[in-house]
Amino acid sequence: MFNSIKVELKTQREIEKMRIAGKLVGEILNSLETFIKPGISTQDIEDFVLAQIKDAKMDAAFLGYPKGSANPFPCACCISINEEVVHGRPNPNRKLKDGDIVSVDTGTIYDGYYGDAAKTYAVGQISQEAKKLLAVTEQALENAIKIALPNNRLGDIGWTVQTTAEENGFSVVRDYGGHGIGRNLHEDPHIQNFGKKNTGLKLEAGMVLAIEPMLNIGTYKVKTLADGWTVVTKDSSLSAHFEHTIAITKDGNEVLTRM
Ligand code: MG
């Protein structure tokens, strides 16, 4: 069934545009390291990020996505605190507190091509358990990138994320995953963060993929709040999210959103 998925391969010219879009996302996520602190609101983060996208004369990929929807996403960033997994909406009344973890997911469009990445930050002093969750989630992403090579398969990515998570006592969100990316924010293939080695679509040069593990301290199960966007863990346990956009090359891959 995986062989029937049509994955669009990108040319060098297209990847060059995605490199420009991705570089800005990497710079923005890096700039948040010092910006995020107790007392600021999630709207402050949104404003800070949107200003950088506008300064670079690019467009915010998430703002108004998906086009034509009755309930499009209203902001440039998804900002998710603690038990929020993904798709939290910036809010001027939502202030960060010492000990929170906050994930920021954002995307840009340069000349029609998208970049997408996410990172989870510690707000002030966080617990040892939260520190471990952040470290393991980032490690799961790095391990997945290491195995995202031509002739390996999509299942290798999912297996790697799941194994890294579960060996460390964490669970992997099943209902959301990574995706192809290009002239659209979300393209085929869908990339599960769990699965079996040596199964699924074969990776090849020219594929551009957003890999994005989401790990929870408790259950893998999630639910969506009444706002229609914010996804939270069912048991209210902490959740972390890291993401990079990568291009598969002939002999490896290139991370387009790395600073
Ligand atoms: Mg994504």
Side-chain angles (χ1 to χ4, degrees):
M1 80 177 169
F2 289 102
N3 294 328
S4 64
I5 294 172
K6 193 90 185 89
V7 177
E8 193 189 280
L9 301 181
K10 273 70 182 180
T11 65
Q12 280 308 315
R13 272 193 65 221
E14 291 179 301
I15 290 172
E16 177 52 31
K17 290 178 186 182
M18 298 185 78
R19 193 177 281 130
I20 294 168
K23 181 167 180 276
L24 179 63
V25 178
E27 287 170 0
I28 288 170
L29 293 181
N30 198 49
S31 73
L32 288 173
E33 288 286 358
T34 49
F35 185 77
I36 288 178
K37 49 176 103 52
I40 68 165
S41 73
T42 54
Q43 185 66 45
D44 294 333
I45 297 173
E46 165 74 11
D47 295 345
F48 181 71
V49 169
L50 192 55
Q52 292 185 63
I53 297 174
K54 284 186 174 162
D55 279 351
K57 305 218 171 353
M58 291 192 211
D59 291 313
F62 298 1
L63 192 59
Y65 181 88
K67 266 195 193 126
S69 155
N71 184 23
F73 195 75
C75 300
C77 301
C78 296
I79 305 178
S80 309
I81 301 174
N82 295 338
E83 77 281 4
E84 296 169 357
V85 180
V86 285
H87 304 164
R89 297 189 298 185
N91 178 342
N93 300 318
R94 195 82 193 276
K95 299 257 190 339
L96 299 180
K97 298 191 303 289
D98 189 62
D100 284 341
I101 59 171
V102 60
S103 81
V104 180
D105 188 350
T106 193
T108 58
I109 313 170
Y110 174 74
D111 199 15
Y113 287 83
Y114 286 71
D116 183 9
K119 187 167 187 170
T120 303
Y121 303 84
V123 182
Q125 284 301 318
I126 62 171
S127 69
Q128 285 306 318
E129 197 180 32
K131 269 184 202 168
K132 183 181 170 192
L133 177 68
L134 265 52
V136 171
T137 309
E138 189 165 26
Q139 190 60 54
L141 173 59
E142 293 302 332
N143 290 348
I145 290 170
K146 269 183 216 142
I147 206 156
L149 306 171
N151 297 316
N152 283 349
R153 292 175 181 271
L154 271 189
D156 296 322
I157 294 177
W159 179 86
T160 299
V161 170
Q162 184 177 17
T163 305
T164 306
E166 292 178 356
E167 280 177 357
N168 284 283
F170 298 132
S171 69
V172 166
V173 173
R174 311 287 173 102
D175 294 357
Y176 299 87
H179 49 93
I181 179 168
R183 277 172 297 169
N184 305 286
L185 180 58
H186 296 114
E187 299 184 353
D188 279 339
H190 175 68
I191 306 171
Q192 291 183 339
N193 288 316
F194 59 98
K196 289 195 173 72
K197 257 193 210 179
N198 202 29
T199 60
L201 184 79
K202 197 178 262 192
L203 303 180
E204 54 182 301
M207 287 181 179
V208 182
L209 308 173
I211 302 178
E212 46 181 321
M214 295 148 221
L215 269 56
N216 302 343
I217 283 184
T219 180
Y220 70 87
K221 291 181 180 160
V222 301
K223 62 181 181 187
T224 304
L225 298 183
D227 65 13
W229 279 105
T230 314
V231 177
V232 299
T233 55
K234 265 199 172 157
D235 60 2
S236 300
S237 67
L238 291 181
S239 184
H241 178 206
F242 284 78
E243 175 179 21
H244 273 307
T245 296
I246 72 167
I248 309 293
T249 60
K250 258 182 238 150
D251 47 15
N253 64 53
E254 177 185 348
V255 182
L256 304 179
T257 46
R258 178 120 50 211
M259 259 298 285

